[in-house]
Amino acid sequence: MTRPPVAPPTRRLFRRRDGRLIAGVASGLSEHLGIDVLLLRIAFVASIVLGGLGMVLYAAFWIVVPQATDDPAPRERSESRVQLVGFAALGAAMLLFAQLLGFGAGLIWPAAAMIAGAAVLWRQADDSSRNRWRSVAERQRTALSGTRRRTTLRYLGGIALVLIGMGTFLATQNAFPVARRAFLPALVATLGIVVVVGPWLLRYWREATEERTARIREHERVELAGRIHDSMLQTLTLIQRRADDPEEVRRLVRHSERELRGWLYRPAQPAASLRGMLTAACAEVEDEYDVTIDLVVVGDLPATADVEAIVLSTREAAVNAAKHSGVRTISVYAEVGATELTVFVRDRGKGFRIAAIPEDRYGVRESLIGRMERHGGAATIRSGKRIGTEVRLTLPLKVSAGV
Amino acid sequence: MVRKTRVVLVDDHSLVRSGVRNEIGGRLDVVGEAADVAEAITRIRDTKPDVVLLDVHLPGGTGDAVIVAVHAVLPDVRFLALSVSDAPDDVIRVIRAGARGYVTKSIDGDELATAVERVAAGDAVFSPRLAGFVLDAFTGEAAAAPPTTELDVLTPRERDVLQLIARGYTYKEAAEELFLSVKTIETHVSAVLRKLQLSNRRELSRWVSERRLLP
């Protein structure tokens, strides 16, 4: 199968989630432009204090530039503390700037409260629009872990800050009597707008949600159909063509069964791990020798030279079983223990006498026993007419590397 | 055994049902078949079989829903899950709902009949893969989560037995290997099944809660 060459990704400007201080504008810009992020941040703060341009720019970027969706989610705790510092610095800069302009405290503090509240609300909206991209399962998990309550608290806190700001502003301007007189008309007007526009907004929102769901579903369907078309359909065609060759048909069926199982049950298996390597090795032997291998793995390890050695020995043992045992089913069991890694390869075949292996039989002596010993492990073989053959491979683990 | 074990087959694919019926029909008495959750519940209530061979995925629900509904009225009917699924959450879910064992559809007819008879006699049936899942769940995070009750740990003997099953040994072969009787092996496996159903180990709960179908 050939793949079209992967096009180089177009460089688009995103706000970064990791390494952000406030909304990720500076770190996103720094990545896009290749300028040190510290320089950009200093420039922003300086221009806020000196003329306010930086603040307008920052706000514009925050609103216009989308958040990156593919980078790793930030480590919540330590990051939010850093962000707090960022917000505090921004606040201080803004206060300083306001004082330079000559506004009185009666104006600055209400404004500060309102802006802080607005910032909390905006950030929250930022996060929830990102959440939409996350998988349903992940969202359920976060919902279970109490994040939802914290989100609500943050929304309420933000709204409270804005209201306090508005209240203090009115109070300091001695505008309360005016506000009270204007309150009722304003309320009536707002209610009127809600009544008139509300149903329309609601319908629009519902339609948008439905459309999004349908689009996601369609996307998944197309993807799955593509895979099935590519693999299953091709296999079926091949089977029809090779119907008179049972061995080849078995091989084809086994291959596509394995592929389908991979998609269904083990979607993300790292190839460079004990489990991934054993799965691949067993698949090769199944395809090559027309046997079925029952693979069970307990625990996992990252791939190292030692792990690779035991996987190669496992493959060798499975090949021997496929070639000489006379049965078509082989069991492979691997267990990562606290101190050692053990693999058993077993068949219920006719067995053999170990003493009868000639000195020069390269396979068993070299590939199995020799290789394991070179890597500090061992290989033992039990075989007999009644029990079949079982090869036991062990590898001591240096540190407690078990996962 | 004086009479044949009475079995109901629950699977949404009629080809699978007729295949299984053919393979085990000689040794067992297939008294009914069903293709979905609702039909399974009525059929089992009507026929009161010894054992139900149950597919994990069914139209109108999943296998565990059948087990829960039937056990509410007929607690003595035993279930053996028979599935193509490799996913631990599928497997563990039916076991936690009350199935006495789990075998894959690649099992041959004789082995399947033996497994059904074993379940009918009140024992548990573990495939190598299920044994692997159990070992994974009970040993994988041994250091991280200290066991709170005896339900959360396997005894060394139980570990030995499970390991042999995972290595592809039958109960009889495992018994010979450990110099035990087959009956003792069955006792150990039943004890493990009980732990699997009742333990609160995080790994098990995670496998089950992934689909949010059981508490």
Side-chain angles (χ1 to χ4, degrees), chain A residues 137 140-141 144 261 264-266 275 294-300 331-333 335-336 342 344 346 348 382 386-387 390 392 403, chain B residues 57 84-88 90 106 111 128-129 131-133 135-136 139-140 159 163 166-170 172-173 176-177 210 212:
Chain A
Q140 278 163 354
R141 225 170 296 144
L144 285 174
R261 272 179 195 284
L264 286 175
Y265 305 125
R266 291 177 292 260
R275 200 180 282 258
D294 261 335
L295 173 67
V296 176
V297 185
V298 171
D300 204 355
S331 302
V332 175
Y333 171 70
E335 184 179 323
V336 181
T342 320
F344 295 92
R346 180 177 190 248
R348 282 212 186 77
R382 289 199 313 163
R386 230 162 41 83
I387 58 168
E390 185 169 62
R392 178 172 189 263
V403 179
Chain B
H57 298 288
V84 291
S85 173
D86 280 347
D90 282 340
S106 56
E111 278 181 276
R129 194 171 297 280
F133 288 156
L135 287 170
D136 232 353
T139 60
R159 269 191 57 84
Q163 204 203 46
R167 275 156 67 181
Y169 284 59
T170 62
K172 189 161 158 291
E173 288 167 339
E176 282 168 17
E177 181 74 19
E210 213 116 276
R212 296 188 313 133

Side-chain angles (χ1 to χ4, degrees), chain B:
Chain B
M1 210 172 282
V2 194
R3 67 176 182 91
K4 284 182 180 173
T5 304
R6 300 171 70 249
V7 181
V8 165
L9 303 178
V10 181
D11 195 304
D12 50 327
H13 297 102
S14 61
L15 272 178
V16 172
R17 288 201 306 272
S18 64
V20 171
R21 180 195 276 275
N22 268 338
E23 283 195 314
I24 63 172
R27 278 173 61 184
L28 310 169
D29 186 9
V30 180
V31 294
E33 289 181 16
D36 59 44
V37 171
E39 193 187 353
I41 294 169
T42 6
R43 197 54 44 82
I44 296 165
R45 279 185 190 159
D46 292 348
T47 53
K48 299 190 176 54
D50 302 311
V51 177
V52 177
L53 270 178
L54 184 69
D55 190 6
V56 174
H57 298 288
L58 290 170
T62 46
D64 45 321
V66 179
I67 302 182
V68 172
V70 170
H71 274 173
V73 275
L74 298 169
D76 292 335
V77 175
R78 297 193 167 113
F79 288 85
L80 175 59
L82 176 69
S83 174
V84 291
S85 173
D86 280 347
D89 45 346
D90 282 340
V91 180
I92 301 297
R93 199 148 39 89
V94 280
I95 298 281
R96 299 272 274 194
R100 301 288 304 170
Y102 182 91
V103 289
T104 46
K105 280 178 181 166
S106 56
I107 192 171
D108 77 44
D110 251 9
E111 278 181 276
L112 180 58
T114 309
V116 170
E117 282 165 359
R118 185 161 271 145
V119 167
D123 292 316
V125 171
F126 276 36
S127 64
R129 194 171 297 280
L130 176 56
F133 288 156
V134 178
L135 287 170
D136 232 353
F138 281 85
T139 60
E141 41 172 354
T148 47
T149 67
E150 54 126 21
L151 283 173
D152 290 343
V153 275
L154 301 177
T155 66
R157 250 313 182 237
E158 287 164 357
R159 269 191 57 84
D160 291 344
V161 172
L162 281 184
Q163 204 203 46
L164 285 171
I165 294 171
R167 275 156 67 181
Y169 284 59
T170 62
Y171 286 16
K172 189 161 158 291
E173 288 167 339
E176 282 168 17
E177 181 74 19
L178 297 172
F179 304 106
L180 298 170
S181 69
V182 175
K183 195 66 230 167
T184 311
I185 299 286
E186 287 170 349
T187 310
H188 283 308
V189 175
S190 294
V192 174
L193 182 84
R194 198 173 141 264
K195 289 179 181 177
L196 194 51
Q197 287 170 339
L198 300 177
S199 162
N200 286 320
R201 286 199 70 98
R202 216 182 66 214
E203 195 71 12
L204 295 173
S205 327
R206 186 176 64 80
W207 279 335
V208 173
S209 69
E210 213 116 276
R211 304 277 171 96
R212 296 188 313 133
L213 282 156
L214 280 179

Side-chain angles (χ1 to χ4, degrees), chain A residues 305-306 309-310 313 363-381 392-396 398:
Chain A
D306 289 348
I310 206 170
S313 298
V364 170
R365 294 225 184 275
E366 180 51 27
S367 293
L368 275 182
I369 302 169
R371 186 189 294 121
M372 289 315 296
E373 280 170 1
R374 273 199 304 283
H375 285 267
T380 49
I381 301 169
R392 178 172 189 263
L393 308 165
T394 52
L395 190 72
K398 277 134 206 156

Side-chain angles (χ1 to χ4, degrees), chain A residues 47-121:
Chain A
S47 59
I48 288 172
V49 177
L50 293 177
L53 177 68
M55 205 173 77
V56 178
L57 270 181
Y58 198 96
F61 273 121
W62 190 344
I63 294 167
V64 171
V65 177
Q67 207 167 48
T69 50
D70 53 344
D71 54 13
R75 286 144 303 168
E76 287 298 342
R77 200 151 295 251
S78 66
E79 223 228 11
S80 51
R81 214 171 293 146
V82 174
Q83 267 193 312
L84 207 64
V85 175
F87 275 115
L90 184 74
M94 275 160 48
L95 281 177
L96 213 64
F97 170 62
Q99 254 158 7
L100 283 178
L101 286 186
F103 287 118
L107 198 59
I108 290 176
W109 289 108
M114 278 171 67
I115 290 169
V120 170
L121 290 176

